[in-house]
Every structure is written in C-alpha cells, then in structure tokens.
Amino acid sequence: MAEKDDYLADVLVDLGLITAEQLAKARTEAEASNVGLVDLLLANKVIKPSDVIQAKAAQFGAEVIQLSGMKIPDEVIAIIPRHLARKYRVIPVFKDEGKIAVATSDPSDLNTIDTLNHLLNAEIDLRVASENDIEAALNKYYGGATTGGGGGQGVMDKAVQELTESEVAVPVGALDDAGETVDADAPLIRLVNQIITDAFKMRASDIHLEPMSKRFRLRYRIDGVMQEMKSPPKRLQPSVIARLKIQSNMSISEHRIPQDGRIQSKVGNKLIDLRVSCLPTSHGESIVMRILDKEGLRLGLPELGFFTDDQQKFERLIALPDGILLVTGPTGSGKTTTLYSCLHFINRPDRKIITVEDPVEYILAGINQVQVNEPVGLNFAAALRSILRQAPNVVMIGEIRDVETATIAINASLTGHLVFSTLHTNDAPSAVTRLVDIGVKPFLVASSTRCLMAQRLVRKVCKKCGAPFTPPENELRALGMTPEVLQGATAMKGRGCPDCSGTGCRGRMGIFEIFVIDDEARKLIYDQAPVSVLRARAREMGMRTLREDGIRKVLAGITTAEEVIRATVGDEA
C-alpha cells in the first residue's frame, strides 16, 4: 500500500496538483505517524478527493468519468450481471466495436480487469470514477445492496429469471377469482411485490409501468423527478398488469376503458396504500400506482419549508375563528399536504373538524373525513351542505371546482366557520380572479377571504454530500441575482452519494407566496381590480413572490438555483 501511495503521490506532483516541497513534508509526517501518505494529504486538505481520482486515472492512462450525470442504457447494464458488478465494484458504461467501457474507482486492481476481460470475452476500456459515484450507480442500476442473498433487485432478477426460463409467462388463470394468488411465492408475485417494495424504499411517490412498442418501461417518481429503473421483460407485460388489476379489484377482462382501484401492501412492518390507475394505450394498458404512506406523512409546519417569519404569519392566520384560506398551485405542488399540516396544527379536542375530499388520501386521527362519491350524488357541494349541519368549527374542502361549492364554502366562512381549500392558479392574487370567473360575487370573495397562498415544491440539497457551490452566471442572471448577493451566503449543491442515489438532492420542501387580505385589498377585490393591481398591493404589504422565497432558500444552502428556476419558470424575477 505504501508503494502504491508513493507512485500516486509522484503522479500528483507530475500533474501539478501538489508541489515537490509539499510531498517531501508529507512523506516525513507520514513516516513519523505511520499514516498512509495519500490519506495524510487528504486529511491535511493539501489535495481533494477529486485530485486522487484524477491522479489514479492519469497513472493508468484512463479517463475520468462522472456517472451521476449519465443515463446508461439497459442493454449496456445487462452486459455485466448484478453479482459481478457488486463483487468487483464496476459499472459498464458503453460498448463499441468489441470494447466494453467499464468504470471503477480502483484502476490499479489488475486482477479485476483480467477477470472481467476473461468473463466478458471482450477488451476492457477503463474509466475511473469516485467510490461514491460507483456506489450510487450500483444502487441505481442494480438495486440496493442485499444481505443473505435476498431482497432488493436480487429478488426481482431471480423472479424474472425464473419466469424467463419458463416456456410461457405465468397465465392470468394462475390467479384465482377472489383476487388471491394460488402461490404467494410464485415468481410473478415476487416480481410485482418487489417493484412496490423497491419504490417504497427509494422514497418514490408513484410507480409507472408503461407499455412501449418493444419494452415494458418501469419508472419511479422520486422527489418529483421521474427516474427510469431496470424494466421487466416485455413478454411479462400481460401477466404483471393482470396481477396488479386483480390486486386492485379491477376487471381483468376489460381492456378498453380506464379503471381505478386500490392496493394495500405490507413493506417490512409498514402497511401502505396504493391508489392505482389503469389506462388503455396503443401498446397495452399503462399502470400508475400512487404510494400513500400513512405513517410517513410528516405534518409539522416547519417540515413544509417555511422560514420562521412566514411560519409565524401562517400560524396566526390558521388560528383565526372564521374566513377562507386558499392554497393555490398546479397538480403535484404539495397543496394537500399543506392543508393536512394546517389541520394537524389546529386539531384540538375543543374543535370539530370535518373534511370533504376526493379521494381521502390519509386518515387523520380526531378528524371526520368524508369521501366524495359522484355516482350516488355525493359531490363536494352536497357533502358540504350536509356537513355544515354537523356544526363543525373547521371545514376542509379538497378542491373548489364550481360555483356551487365555492358559494357554500364562502357562506360557511361568513357564518363563523374556518374554511380551508385549494384552487389551481399560478400565483396567489390570481385566485381572486378564478373565484369571480366561476361565478362567485366579488363582494362575497372580498368579505370572506383571509389569506391566499401559492406554493411550489423544490428539491432539497442532500445533507450528506452537499458542498459549497457558486451557481453559474446564467442561473444567477435568470434569478435576477448578482455575484455580490452570494457574498456571505452559503449556496450549496450535492455532489451525489449513495444516500441520494447520485442525484445530489434528497427530499422536497415548499416555496411560498403569502397574500394576506387587508381592508385595502378587500376594496380592490370588491371593485374588481385586475390581478396586476392586486399583486402590486400584495407587494406593498411585503408579500414575497415564489421566486424571491426560493432565492432566500438558495442563499441559505437549502436548495439550488437550478431547482428554483425550474419551479418558478413563469414567475417574475
């Protein structure tokens, strides 16, 4: 090892990454303390981990590669089986004219290179990546590490292998009429269960099984971003879809119309619900499963992403005895989670809280939740009329969709109820226009509305691999920032690690635009002032735009400029 370090240290000098004087001093210290030379250089911050990777690559005439920014095709990943990739800590990158490019963190391990050369019967073209990059890629393309030979991608691979070795995929008839399988250990059942288990363990919000012309694509949405996984073979498509349809209580004989259902599944000791949607497409039925983890829903307001000043303002608003608070934003912007957090915050034994939702996604203790049922006439308006006779203090409406629902909600707020709901608008002031457009009288909107809040979700910088980072000039320009603004700030960006699957981001948080309605704003609403005038009034009162709130969180090192630009592309700078 000492000899290896000496060679590597000499390469560092040749590359100009350290001076000969620094090396001589480090050698003396290493001999005196009996510490590895390269380890000592790293500990003293004379060199960075990236310098070591560069030196290793130069030592063996290889190229440095960043795996985190690559999308490696399934057919390339399939070149090296999972057990070999994990055993030798290597990732196939591409294949070209009989050569296979392979990434490793230790190019000096010639035994591994020779073994792969022999096993794959091809010339190995070496690439060098960091150990973190290799680990993240192994988890991404081959599934998480397993113990005892079971679980994770190994279970899925084994199930696929058993099915592939069969003459025919497991037929639909292997599943009984009650929706239960005749053999819970059958390869098909294990395959489907593992798809769900892996998604849950990777913190996916939903699972997409999409029939393509020549493949059956599997994708997970993680932190709001779609990530492609290793897909099941195309020939298993009918069997996998049939299995999921039976579990969801859908008709397996119906292939022409969309269907919806639910699955309850156990992952470890946790019980999770999946809301399942089946949609006929040109290449077969597409399945999307939304994962609803009842225990995993974090309901504290700080977890939503409020800074202290906004949180105090919002807590004061949701503690009011009456009025309407509307949360606005597109689908998938976290509106429902925000409403649940509000209810959790004000849920006390002396308050009666009733919700009307479509669907009821999470069961909240101590709260009466009503499920909309359109076929029997129980829509939002009908449910709202009935629940007002139950004398609630607080009412939450999943979404205001029509004038009838809006009018009943507003009347409820004017008669002493606190009402929470959502609207699909791009910013907070536009909610006023939307209510008037659907038919609500402006004076009713003006007198009942307490607060309008718009929100978006941005990914958070991974805490384990986040490092100080200066956003490029084009991103600063897009956000209307100058380099001087970054002075004294702690902008961060994740480098990619196994904990975040190499993405540099883990988890999401909200950015908010809070418009508190005062007397002046009420007068403007009553006079049907345009949105631009309402927005100007809101800014006068100190409202930060979505982008401005995002910039605060970039400067605090919580998210990145790139994320804020993506989430607020339609916002004013």
Side-chain angles (χ1 to χ4, degrees), residues 371-379 382-383:
Q371 167 77 55
V372 166
N373 190 351
E374 294 277 1
V376 298
L378 185 63
N379 55 22

Side-chain angles (χ1 to χ4, degrees), residues 9-10 32 255 282 289 303 321 339 374 388 409 422 437 551 558:
D10 288 336
H255 306 283
S282 55
M289 292 177 277
E303 284 81 18
L339 290 182
E374 294 277 1
L388 290 177
T422 69
D437 285 347
I551 290 171
I558 305 171

Side-chain angles (χ1 to χ4, degrees), residues 242-390:
R243 167 65 184 161
L244 288 169
K245 286 174 75 173
I246 286 177
Q247 281 185 288
S248 312
N249 292 319
M250 298 180 193
S251 169
I252 60 171
S253 60
E254 180 56 74
H255 306 283
R256 301 163 300 170
I257 60 173
Q259 297 185 70
D260 294 300
R262 291 181 90 96
I263 295 175
Q264 194 166 77
S265 182
K266 198 168 187 181
V267 177
N269 295 322
K270 274 196 170 185
L271 203 61
I272 62 169
D273 282 340
L274 295 103
R275 198 172 72 218
V276 187
S277 170
C278 179
L279 180 72
T281 70
S282 55
H283 298 295
E285 290 171 289
S286 173
I287 297 273
V288 176
M289 292 177 277
R290 178 79 183 272
I291 298 174
L292 308 173
D293 173 23
K294 294 177 184 177
E295 297 176 30
L297 187 67
R298 299 175 69 186
L299 295 171
L301 286 176
E303 284 81 18
L304 294 179
F306 285 110
F307 273 164
T308 305
D309 54 346
D310 282 343
Q311 184 179 331
Q312 289 173 348
K313 183 192 296 184
F314 197 60
E315 285 178 358
R316 188 173 66 253
L317 288 164
I318 64 178
L320 293 171
D322 56 26
I324 286 187
L325 285 87
L326 290 175
V327 181
T328 77
T331 301
S333 58
K335 300 187 298 296
T336 302
T337 301
T338 297
L339 290 182
Y340 279 143
S341 300
C342 294
L343 297 183
H344 182 76
F345 182 80
I346 62 176
N347 186 15
R348 301 194 305 266
D350 62 338
R351 283 191 167 191
K352 178 158 184 172
I353 302 173
I354 304 181
T355 74
V356 51
E357 306 169 58
D358 183 22
V360 173
E361 293 192 1
Y362 300 98
I363 305 301
L364 303 178
I367 293 175
N368 302 278
Q369 294 173 269
V370 178
Q371 167 77 55
V372 166
N373 190 351
E374 294 277 1
V376 298
L378 185 63
N379 55 22
F380 277 109
L384 194 50
R385 254 189 246 99
S386 298
I387 65 178
L388 290 177
R389 299 188 195 109
Q390 297 276 315

Side-chain angles (χ1 to χ4, degrees), residues 432-485:
V432 172
T433 309
R434 178 61 55 85
L435 288 172
V436 173
D437 285 347
I438 65 175
V440 181
K441 301 294 183 186
F443 76 89
L444 289 175
V445 178
S447 54
S448 63
T449 309
R450 298 283 192 179
C451 172
L452 303 168
M453 185 177 81
Q455 71 174 70
R456 301 288 189 277
L457 291 177
V458 293
R459 293 188 294 172
K460 295 192 288 187
V461 174
C462 176
K463 291 181 180 177
K464 291 198 175 177
C465 66
F469 174 77
T470 302
E473 188 180 336
N474 63 317
E475 291 184 2
L476 292 176
R477 194 164 53 248
L479 290 176
M481 298 168 64
T482 60
E484 290 73 30
V485 175

Side-chain angles (χ1 to χ4, degrees), residues 76-85 90-92 100 102 116 120 142:
V76 174
I77 290 296
I79 292 170
I80 300 182
R82 180 181 185 275
H83 67 283
L84 290 180
V90 294
I91 296 291
I100 299 173
V102 173
L116 288 173
L120 302 177
Y142 292 102

Side-chain angles (χ1 to χ4, degrees), residues 71 74 141 153 156-157 160 191 195 208-210 212 214-219 227-234 236:
K71 173 65 184 82
D74 288 345
Y141 294 110
Q153 192 71 22
M156 195 181 295
D157 286 345
V160 169
L191 171 63
I195 287 172
H208 296 250
L209 284 157
E210 303 161 308
M212 304 281 116
K214 294 182 180 177
R215 64 192 183 110
F216 187 33
R217 183 165 67 175
L218 170 63
R219 295 194 290 175
Q227 295 189 23
E228 193 161 338
M229 301 292 127
K230 187 176 180 182
S231 302
K234 177 72 173 176
L236 300 183

